[in-house]
Amino acid sequence: MEAVEVHRRVLRGWSPERKTTMKAFEATQYYFDKAADILDVSPEIRQLLITPRREVRVEIPVEMDNGRLETLIGFRVQHNNYRGPMKGGLRYHHEVDLDEVRSLASLMTWKTAVVNLPYGGAKGGIKVSAQDLSRREKERITRKFVDQIHDIIGPRTDIPAPDMGTNADTMAWIRNQWEKYNGFDPAVITGKPVDQYGAEGREEATGRGVGILTFKMLQRLGRRPAETTVAIQGFGNVGSHAGKLLHESDFKIVAISDISGGYYDEQGIDIPLALRHTLRNGSLEGFEGAKKISNEALLALDVDVLIPAALGGVIHAENAGEIRADIIIEAANGPVHPGADEILQSRGTLILPDILANAGGVTVSYFEWVQNLQHYKWGLNRVRQELDSVLSRAFEDVWQTSTEKEVSLRTAAFMIAIQRVYRAAELAGF
């Protein structure tokens, strides 16, 4: 379905039943329109702000290691560039489709605006199971993809970054392939290896940002870390770094999980032990430091803070009634579906939205881009200090707007983002 038609359907309103079946882009637009209604944004301006500037779909023919020829489908959606070059990750996942990429590109527009970075939103993806690829296959696919999109990305137009299924090495391949067409310029991509013009602290950035903002939220509520129980659904890059920072800050993390299942200890999990286990074994499989439970059971634990840090849509209308946490920190993109969001908000659950909660990654990507443009390298301490400063300022903006306008933190974040993007669009003459 075309983006504009999706928006028209959102404007016509949704029944409670429809909210439970929204696809990713529809859900993003639902949240957008709740904020736009309060701001009294006209239908014409809404359509201007939500319509992607460009959507690219490419075929990627690639020879696999066994000699078989496969044709994969790749996407790059460039949503908005009123506030600056477009920015967004590139994911390799078997469920990637245009609707998902379009939704994530839109979220990046609002995310960068909330934390006040001079960027617009973009996103990319290739429909392939990253875990089934050899390193050589992944590199060939990456370079073939860049061959198709090298003329629409660049340090002043659209700057990709890692996402699900991609990493620093993937970014190095993209940079190298792009430079074959355009010449040396490491600012074309972020999330690169540190020894290849990458930024120190980029790998930890999203998870560290989640930890920083969780701490800020608890401070605002007058709660002490040592008296706060936390469950983290998803112990990958984001969840593990968030868990590490929260553990060091004396939070009691009672549950963690990954694809192998959940692990629970009401006395608190030894997070350094869990990190060492995953480093040795590649996952939590076989971890003996806690009782095994299901991922579904983890979501329903009686904890103070729940951090969904895996896939989107894990909290929905069907299981929202089972959620007992008072606070949800959206470390993943879109983990709370609109149907569940309304149920939880009505119960007084505080939800820190993804467009703020997981903005640490794009913030440090911005720092990397700045360093590349300046040909000057920062140290890790400066990166961490600047990250804390940017996220703290954004949190206070959102908290103040939420309090003054008597709206949810999610709606407050969207209101701030919409106003900033609209202002830039207005000055650009639309």
Side-chain angles (χ1 to χ4, degrees):
M1 183 183 299
E2 293 301 320
V4 173
E5 177 57 24
V6 169
H7 180 60
R8 287 173 180 154
R9 290 176 57 178
V10 172
L11 286 177
R12 288 198 294 267
W14 300 94
S15 66
E17 294 76 17
R18 183 70 189 102
K19 293 191 186 79
T20 66
T21 58
M22 286 182 189
K23 295 185 73 175
F25 187 68
E26 294 174 307
T28 301
Q29 295 319 117
Y30 173 75
Y31 292 136
F32 170 92
D33 278 304
K34 287 188 74 173
D37 286 344
I38 296 172
L39 294 171
D40 197 25
V41 179
S42 70
E44 294 82 4
I45 298 301
R46 296 188 198 203
Q47 184 166 315
L48 170 76
L49 296 181
I50 66 98
T51 304
R53 298 185 67 85
R54 177 187 285 144
E55 297 181 347
V56 176
R57 175 189 182 277
V58 298
E59 293 181 347
I60 308 166
V62 61
E63 183 179 352
M64 310 305 282
D65 287 348
N66 61 8
R68 186 180 72 253
L69 178 67
E70 291 224 3
T71 302
L72 306 176
I73 302 300
F75 304 96
R76 189 69 183 175
V77 174
Q78 298 174 325
H79 182 259
N80 187 287
N81 66 351
Y82 283 123
R83 301 187 74 250
M86 293 166 284
K87 190 84 183 73
L90 175 65
R91 62 174 47 185
Y92 293 177
H93 194 269
H94 61 278
E95 293 182 350
V96 163
D97 61 20
L98 180 58
D99 181 81
E100 178 190 54
V101 176
R102 182 188 289 149
S103 172
L104 293 170
S106 175
L107 282 173
M108 283 300 297
T109 294
W110 314 124
K111 184 181 300 183
T112 55
V114 166
V115 292
N116 210 15
L117 302 179
Y119 282 145
K123 204 75 175 185
I126 298 176
K127 187 176 180 63
V128 65
S129 178
Q131 64 187 17
D132 295 334
L133 298 174
S134 71
R135 179 180 172 84
R136 292 174 60 190
E137 287 172 334
K138 195 171 183 180
E139 180 175 355
R140 286 197 295 271
I141 290 167
T142 300
R143 291 183 182 277
K144 288 280 190 178
F145 184 53
V146 175
D147 287 342
Q148 301 267 25
I149 67 166
H150 70 89
D151 57 340
I152 64 167
I153 64 173
R156 289 170 178 78
T157 53
D158 179 2
I159 307 139
D163 201 288
M164 188 184 304
T166 59
N167 57 23
D169 286 352
T170 319
M171 300 304 105
W173 298 329
I174 292 174
R175 176 199 153 207
N176 178 262
Q177 194 69 11
W178 182 87
E179 287 181 343
K180 290 178 181 179
Y181 294 95
N182 300 280
F184 175 81
D185 197 336
V188 66
I189 198 101
T190 60
K192 301 179 292 295
V194 174
D195 62 351
Q196 295 292 310
Y197 307 96
E200 293 190 61
R202 174 60 183 84
E203 184 177 345
E204 69 174 29
T206 305
R208 186 175 182 84
V210 169
I212 289 169
L213 290 166
T214 302
F215 191 81
K216 299 292 182 187
M217 176 81 89
L218 270 293
Q219 277 187 318
R220 271 291 184 175
L221 297 173
R223 300 192 188 186
R224 296 180 179 179
E227 300 169 357
T228 303
T229 55
V230 180
I232 302 175
Q233 195 241 4
F235 204 64
N237 180 61
V238 176
S240 63
H241 281 293
K244 181 176 183 293
L245 181 62
L246 292 174
H247 176 78
E248 292 170 351
S249 302
D250 290 332
F251 285 84
K252 183 189 288 187
I253 301 173
V254 299
I256 55 178
S257 73
D258 65 6
I259 194 169
S260 69
Y263 300 83
Y264 172 69
D265 184 344
E266 65 178 359
Q267 299 304 315
I269 292 174
D270 185 337
I271 295 299
L273 180 65
L275 290 169
R276 288 195 295 271
H277 182 92
T278 56
L279 187 63
R280 286 195 305 267
N281 302 284
S283 77
L284 288 169
E285 183 69 54
F287 179 60
E288 297 179 352
K291 180 178 70 175
K292 188 80 177 286
I293 62 174
S294 68
N295 266 293
E296 292 74 19
L298 181 146
L299 292 172
L301 288 173
D302 187 9
V303 293
D304 299 308
V305 179
L306 174 62
I307 303 179
L311 295 172
V314 295
I315 300 175
H316 43 78
E318 287 72 24
N319 67 1
E322 301 170 9
I323 305 298
R324 291 189 280 177
D326 297 325
I327 300 167
I328 296 175
I329 310 292
E330 291 189 328
N333 286 313
V336 179
H337 199 271
D341 188 74
E342 291 200 354
I343 294 170
L344 294 167
Q345 297 285 0
S346 68
R347 280 185 359 206
T349 305
L350 278 175
I351 302 174
L352 192 68
D354 50 4
I355 61 172
L356 174 56
N358 64 30
V362 70
T363 301
V364 176
S365 277
Y366 168 66
F367 299 158
E368 180 177 335
W369 180 69
V370 167
Q371 292 172 71
N372 293 159
L373 292 177
Q374 295 178 338
H375 303 285
Y376 181 79
K377 191 172 181 61
W378 300 359
L380 179 59
N381 286 340
R382 180 176 177 185
V383 170
R384 287 177 170 176
Q385 290 168 3
E386 296 284 354
L387 175 64
D388 187 282
S389 176
V390 169
L391 294 184
S392 297
R393 188 162 53 246
F395 177 81
E396 292 303 325
D397 287 345
V398 171
W399 187 273
Q400 183 175 347
T401 299
S402 172
T403 302
E404 291 178 353
K405 302 298 183 181
E406 298 183 345
V407 297
S408 70
L409 293 172
R410 188 190 309 281
T411 298
F414 269 93
M415 288 171 65
I416 291 169
I418 290 169
Q419 287 173 312
R420 287 175 176 166
V421 176
Y422 173 74
R423 174 64 172 161
E426 185 179 44
L427 290 172
F430 299 114

